[in-house]
Amino acid sequence: MNRKLSATTGDRIETEQSTLYFHTETIEVSRLSALAFFEAGEQSFAGQRFFWQNREKTFTLAGLGHAHTITSDAKEHRFDDVEQQWKKITQNVVNDENDIQPILFGGFTFDTENEVSGEWTGFPEAFFAVATYQLVIKNDQAYVSIHLITEEENTTEALNALRKECDELIHTAQVKALKTYPKPQIKSSYEPYKEEYLESISKVTSLIRQKEADKVVIARSLALQFEEQVTSPNVLSQVMMEQPESYLFGLEEQGKLFFGASPERLVKVSDKYAYSSCIAGSIKRGKTAEEDDLLGQSLLNDTKNLSEHQYVVDMILQTFKENCASYQIPNAPQLLKIRDIQHLFTPVEGPLKEGATVLQLVKTLHPTPALGGVPRMKAMEVIREYEPMNRGLYAAPIGWLDAQGNGEFAVAIRSALLAKDQAFLYAGGGIVADSQPSSEYDETLVKFRPMLRALGGQLHE
């Protein structure tokens, strides 16, 4: 096995409860598929894995096992709580700038005030994990890190056992052929709260006409029942083939997998420079290049969609004004085309002010008008009253951050929750004064399509 030791550290961390020791050890490995590595953990680490790949395919992350987890039910303070816990754990981790950093991966729920029971019952308002075995692929190089966070001062025996297990995982991922998975077989499907959803569009539209809000995003779900239990590697392999141009993510917790292929970056921070994407307003792809171009041009000229998009631009721009020393933004939106849908898209970027962090940006940006509405607080009140489900992690921030303050979060749309032989798909749309229930319903069908296709189903127009 071609391996090169790149870093070994062992750091003592004082917490309120105990003294923790954080040991990291990183090796460079040759020829390693992230999905094969994820799959190699099926027997020992199912339920404790995560996966991430950015849209540009320049950074891929896979984690097996939990060296440490950070959870928070601190409601509006959960972003600060996670940040403080992570800073405390990593305060003494000494790595060279070129070394692979320990990475914390996870997500926040959409709304801490939502108490609707269902498939998300019991899920913490914030859940993040440091993997026992962390794979990072960047610049065509692969690195595997071992993380041990323990109260035990003498860790020689534990580290040796982890090294041996790590060798086995790498060997399995490199030598065994990557499985070819058949598409899951759907036994049945149903649309929970379909009538309530359609009725909510009319009610919310009425509120907007009465000037109680400018825009409110209302979402719904689609439930699938499979012939047999579906595994996480199967689902991720399908999504990677179906939606390669999106942010791909998967997070296992409580025996379930939350996964998706999001077109939308919430925020990225790299070397104290921030990037975000304003994405709102959508239309389907055309069956021919000519039809696709006509649909795209109609989107670029559609008053309703341009208005929705501008809400997002204004809000994200305000966040960048508060957190960045300067910013850059184009004068008009462009088109972002992915397999099933095209969006209005405006990028924004700028250098961070002193003290601004990726999680502080996440806290300020969530939820954007594209996922919540305008004004934010009123829109959230309306969602709680009229949306008959709990979004859980859907439409919320999911992503990673390292020990040096770098990180990236996507908005968890085009997503689904897999629970053994069931899955719940989620989609929504922005409701404004002239919204029609039938057209909003049709828009959710388009947005269901990526996850539905990955799970073996299809929608007929």
Side-chain angles (χ1 to χ4, degrees):
M1 185 183 301
N2 180 21
R3 301 172 23 149
K4 184 181 76 174
L5 187 66
S6 64
T8 303
T9 66
D11 300 290
R12 176 173 170 156
I13 308 145
E14 297 290 345
T15 70
E16 292 179 4
Q17 291 80 24
S18 61
T19 298
L20 293 177
Y21 296 89
F22 192 160
H23 298 268
T24 73
E25 183 173 301
T26 300
I27 57 175
E28 183 178 350
V29 297
S30 60
R31 194 184 58 80
L32 194 59
S33 155
L35 185 58
F37 187 72
F38 185 94
E39 189 180 83
E42 181 72 10
Q43 183 171 349
S44 299
F45 299 106
Q48 294 186 344
R49 294 174 292 179
F50 57 75
F51 181 92
W52 168 274
Q53 188 173 70
N54 66 2
R55 196 169 58 208
E56 299 80 14
K57 305 297 170 276
T58 56
F59 183 83
T60 304
L61 171 69
L64 308 180
H66 290 166
H68 188 76
T69 59
I70 293 176
T71 62
S72 177
D73 287 319
K75 298 198 178 293
E76 67 268 22
H77 301 297
R78 57 196 171 138
F79 302 95
D80 305 309
D81 190 12
V82 170
E83 183 167 65
Q84 289 163 9
Q85 290 187 59
W86 179 234
K87 282 182 177 179
K88 183 167 287 189
I89 291 171
T90 59
Q91 62 187 340
N92 296 318
V93 174
V94 181
N95 281 10
D96 185 86
E97 284 189 4
N98 297 320
D99 288 338
I100 297 299
Q101 296 287 312
I103 288 175
L104 185 69
F105 182 87
F108 300 91
T109 58
F110 180 80
D111 181 15
T112 62
E113 300 300 321
N114 189 307
E115 297 178 350
V116 177
S117 61
E119 64 270 21
W120 292 101
T121 298
F123 199 90
E125 292 160 4
F127 175 81
F128 285 80
V130 181
T132 303
Y133 304 105
Q134 168 189 293
L135 169 66
V136 168
I137 302 175
K138 63 177 183 177
N139 303 323
D140 296 321
Q141 293 176 295
Y143 305 88
V144 175
S145 300
I146 295 171
H147 299 139
L148 176 62
I149 303 176
T150 177
E151 295 181 7
E152 300 297 323
E153 189 169 358
N154 186 351
T155 59
T156 302
E157 187 175 333
L159 280 170
N160 284 335
L162 290 176
R163 291 181 186 119
K164 182 177 179 181
E165 185 173 40
C166 187
D167 286 346
E168 291 297 329
L169 290 166
I170 293 170
H171 180 266
T172 299
Q174 289 179 329
V175 173
K176 287 192 175 180
L178 192 63
K179 290 182 181 178
T180 301
Y181 292 96
K183 284 282 182 75
Q185 295 294 310
I186 297 174
K187 184 194 301 185
S188 61
S189 66
Y190 67 97
E191 299 174 87
Y193 309 112
K194 177 182 176 180
E195 295 307 317
E196 289 89 338
Y197 165 80
L198 292 170
E199 187 178 340
S200 73
I201 305 301
S202 299
K203 290 180 178 178
V204 172
T205 302
S206 178
L207 288 175
I208 293 171
R209 287 173 181 162
Q210 295 169 33
K211 308 299 183 184
E212 294 193 28
D214 297 320
K215 171 191 172 181
V216 179
V217 177
I218 297 295
R220 70 186 190 95
S221 61
L222 171 65
L224 306 178
Q225 178 69 51
F226 301 107
E227 293 287 351
E228 58 186 17
Q229 185 170 326
V230 181
T231 67
S232 297
N234 184 343
V235 165
L236 289 179
S237 70
Q238 305 295 346
V239 172
M240 290 177 75
M241 287 189 294
E242 296 281 357
Q243 301 290 327
E245 71 277 37
S246 300
Y247 286 95
L248 306 179
F249 59 86
L251 176 63
E252 291 183 329
E253 169 62 358
Q254 297 188 339
K256 300 172 183 176
L257 171 75
F258 179 64
F259 70 98
S262 175
E264 185 169 351
R265 169 193 287 157
L266 183 63
V267 65
K268 173 184 177 181
V269 169
S270 179
D271 296 327
K272 298 182 180 179
Y273 198 88
Y275 307 81
S276 189
S277 301
C278 311
I279 297 179
S282 60
I283 200 166
K284 66 181 181 179
R285 298 298 304 270
K287 292 183 173 63
T288 64
E290 182 180 8
E291 182 189 7
D292 198 60
D293 184 59
L294 288 172
L295 287 167
Q297 290 303 312
S298 70
L299 179 61
L300 287 168
N301 293 288
D302 182 79
T303 303
K304 174 182 178 291
N305 280 288
L306 286 170
S307 176
E308 279 192 49
H309 187 77
Q310 194 59 44
Y311 285 136
V312 179
V313 171
D314 292 344
M315 182 267 195
I316 292 180
L317 200 54
Q318 182 60 38
T319 299
F320 268 63
K321 288 178 180 177
E322 294 170 0
N323 291 276
C324 295
S326 61
Y327 62 87
Q328 298 179 38
I329 186 169
N331 293 324
Q334 51 196 270
L335 291 174
L336 174 65
K337 295 174 180 272
I338 54 177
R339 181 171 180 179
D340 297 288
I341 197 168
Q342 43 191 323
H343 294 278
L344 293 176
F345 165 70
T346 302
V348 58
E349 60 184 77
L352 287 178
K353 291 180 180 177
E354 190 66 34
T357 67
V358 63
L359 282 184
Q360 291 304 310
L361 283 165
V362 170
K363 175 183 177 180
T364 306
L365 289 169
H366 174 72
T368 71
L371 285 309
V374 179
R376 177 186 284 178
M377 298 309 294
K378 181 60 180 179
M380 294 297 284
E381 290 174 9
V382 174
I383 290 170
R384 290 177 196 126
E385 183 173 356
Y386 293 104
E387 192 174 272
M389 68 172 192
N390 192 329
R391 295 190 188 187
L393 292 179
Y394 163 68
I398 188 166
W400 64 271
L401 62 157
D402 68 17
Q404 289 188 333
N406 302 306
E408 185 167 23
F409 283 77
V411 179
I413 55 175
R414 312 294 183 272
S415 55
L417 183 68
L418 177 69
K420 297 182 180 179
D421 62 349
Q422 288 184 299
F424 299 87
L425 287 61
Y426 306 97
I431 311 304
V432 292
D434 59 351
S435 294
Q436 297 296 321
S438 59
S439 61
E440 295 298 331
Y441 175 84
D442 290 343
E443 183 178 326
T444 61
L445 294 179
V446 174
K447 292 175 177 176
F448 279 138
R449 189 170 289 133
M451 292 304 100
L452 185 61
R453 186 190 292 115
L455 290 168
Q458 60 182 15
L459 291 170
H460 301 284
E461 295 186 12

